[in-house]
Each structure stands twice: as C-alpha cells, then as structure tokens.
Amino acid sequence: MLSLVPVLVTFAVVPFGDVLQVGGRIINLQAAELNVGILYVLAMVSLGVYGVVLGGWASNNRWSLLGGIRGSAQMISYEIAMGLALVAVVVTYGTLDLQEMARAQGHLLWGGCRRGASSTSPSPS
C-alpha cells in the first residue's frame, strides 16, 4: 500500500488535455492544478522508496532487509538522474507547471510547424 499510493497521487497533477468549455463552464482536465507540478511529482515518487525498505524489513529476515535497502538505493540513484534530466525541461519551458508545459507544446511555430521542447530553447547566436 505504501508503494501504490504515491504512484496514484502522482497522477493528480498530470494534465490529460487542455481545458474544455461546456456550456460556458470551464473544465480543467487535471485533478489538481499546482504551479509546482514537477516538484510534486518528484516528491511523490520519492515516497515509494519507503515501501521497498519496509517490505524488506517486514519479512523479518536479514537478507530481505538488505535486499530492500539495496532496492531503495537503486531507486534513489535513478531519482537523482531523473531530477537532473528534468532540470533541462524546466529551463527549456521556464515553468514548473505541467499544464503550461503541455500548452507550450501545442502552439504552432512559423504558422505551420508544431513547436516542441527543442524549438523553444534559446539560440546560441
């Protein structure tokens, strides 16, 4: 349960689409609108480490505990690399809001081309 809940609450800030307008009412296709969406995702994913350690500890076996600690160390090392990769995304879009990042990918560039993350970065000239 401790490993499942952080993953499920992470999806609360993931935008599944832009806003809908139905009968003058605006419906946001995102359960929780946070300005710091990426930080929330990183925090909730990091809570899953506790489930791995407690799973190894709960079996009351020293080898299982060592396996749980090893698994948590691997998860932490992967989270460091994921966090550093997300720094490039934050610098590219200039926001931590996942909805704004999704909207920025939908704009057209030069009248016809879709603008992705690579075309929004500043040019070196």
Side-chain angles (χ1 to χ4, degrees):
M1 189 70 156
L2 192 58
S3 294
L4 179 68
V5 171
V7 173
L8 292 178
V9 298
T10 300
F11 282 104
V13 296
V14 175
F16 292 103
D18 205 6
V19 294
L20 293 177
Q21 293 183 355
V22 178
R25 183 175 178 194
I26 296 175
I27 301 171
N28 195 1
L29 295 179
Q30 185 178 14
E33 188 175 349
L34 294 176
N35 292 334
V36 289
I38 286 190
L39 294 179
Y40 179 81
V41 168
L42 288 175
M44 290 299 115
V45 170
S46 297
L47 288 178
V49 175
Y50 291 110
V52 175
V53 174
L54 287 177
W57 175 73
S59 66
N60 202 17
N61 183 352
R62 67 175 172 212
W63 300 112
S64 297
L65 176 62
L66 287 174
I69 292 172
R70 177 180 175 261
S72 68
Q74 285 180 336
M75 289 175 70
I76 291 170
S77 67
Y78 291 141
E79 287 171 9
I80 291 170
M82 180 178 59
L84 289 176
L86 287 176
V87 168
V89 174
V90 170
V91 168
T92 300
Y93 288 110
T95 183
L96 293 172
D97 188 11
L98 294 174
Q99 185 77 17
E100 289 299 320
M101 289 181 188
R103 283 187 189 130
Q105 292 177 11
H107 293 134
L108 295 179
L109 186 66
W110 297 307
C113 299
R114 282 213 174 264
R115 183 172 72 180
S118 62
S119 64
T120 59
S121 60
S123 62
S125 57

